[in-house]
Amino acid sequence: MTGAGTHTPPRRTLEQSLDWVAEGSELLLASVESLADRRLEGPSGLPGWSRTHVIAHVCGNAEALARLAEWAASGIPTPMYGSSDKRAADIAAGAALAPEALRSWAVSSAQALARKLAELTPTAWQSVVTATPGRTLPATDIPWIRAREVLVHAVDLGTGLGFRDLPRDFLIALLDDVVAKRSAGADGPALSLAISDVGEHRLILGTGEMRRVSAGLAPMVGWLTGRSAGRVRMASGAPAPALPPWM
């Protein structure tokens, strides 16, 4: 059993993360390309956001992570975002772009980030950068952050892709990540998770009596990241409880 507080190292490598970035970018861009213009403005899997908002967010994220990669390469501090207000304004502006301009931005921003990551030397990968005020991370985490963005948001675009279609090893790494973050926050329910098709159990520290929840890996990760509870059920058979935001 893996529980909170055990400080288990993430079960992912830099090479895996880079592979997931490539695979996720391909899935996301294919989804963006498949959407007719009229569907781009439709609702996404994220409450309050259209598909254009999700795409603009992913484009802005690519540019922000490219700035971190540049920081790692040069040693010159380059913040991800100027401010949270500017980040929100950039997403709103991007969501208002014409369809072809938005599609072009999705491609060019992903390609630019890929080039920045490919140029990093072994020494640069060991650099420490600041993602947000007070939050530092090794440059080796940059691909992991991007992999989460492209793979999870590819699902949010609602083109038929589901968590079940994402790489299994990515889902396991994401499960590690979400369990650690939710346990550190401790602002949601205390949970004992049984992942039926992986044969593992996890504990999430939280409030109240420990509740037992079971599901397969894909629906469990979907629920833990704030998407539909789907086939996730309590031991009693009742629907899984609502969770506070993951990120």
Side-chain angles (χ1 to χ4, degrees), residues 23-151:
E23 184 170 352
S25 295
E26 185 176 336
L27 286 173
L28 182 109
L29 293 175
S31 293
V32 171
E33 187 61 32
S34 73
L35 287 164
D37 290 357
R38 59 181 175 77
R39 294 191 64 205
L40 280 174
E41 296 183 0
S44 73
L46 295 177
W49 268 18
S50 67
R51 292 186 177 96
T52 57
H53 282 91
V54 172
I55 297 166
H57 163 69
V58 173
C59 294
N61 170 264
E63 294 180 346
L65 292 177
R67 288 190 283 272
L68 290 189
E70 180 62 31
W71 181 343
S74 68
I76 301 172
T78 311
M80 281 186 73
Y81 299 102
S83 69
S84 57
D85 287 344
K86 186 176 187 309
R87 179 188 183 192
D90 287 346
I91 292 172
L97 289 172
E100 283 311 307
L102 186 59
R103 291 190 183 96
S104 177
W105 187 21
V107 172
S108 63
S109 59
Q111 291 177 340
L113 175 59
R115 287 194 296 271
K116 290 285 186 184
L117 295 178
E119 292 168 358
L120 291 181
T121 65
T123 300
W125 280 119
Q126 299 308 311
S127 301
V128 175
V129 297
T130 301
T132 55
R135 181 188 167 211
T136 60
L137 51 86
T140 50
D141 275 0
I142 297 173
W144 168 244
I145 294 171
R146 183 60 178 173
R148 287 187 324 207
E149 291 287 332
V150 288
L151 285 164

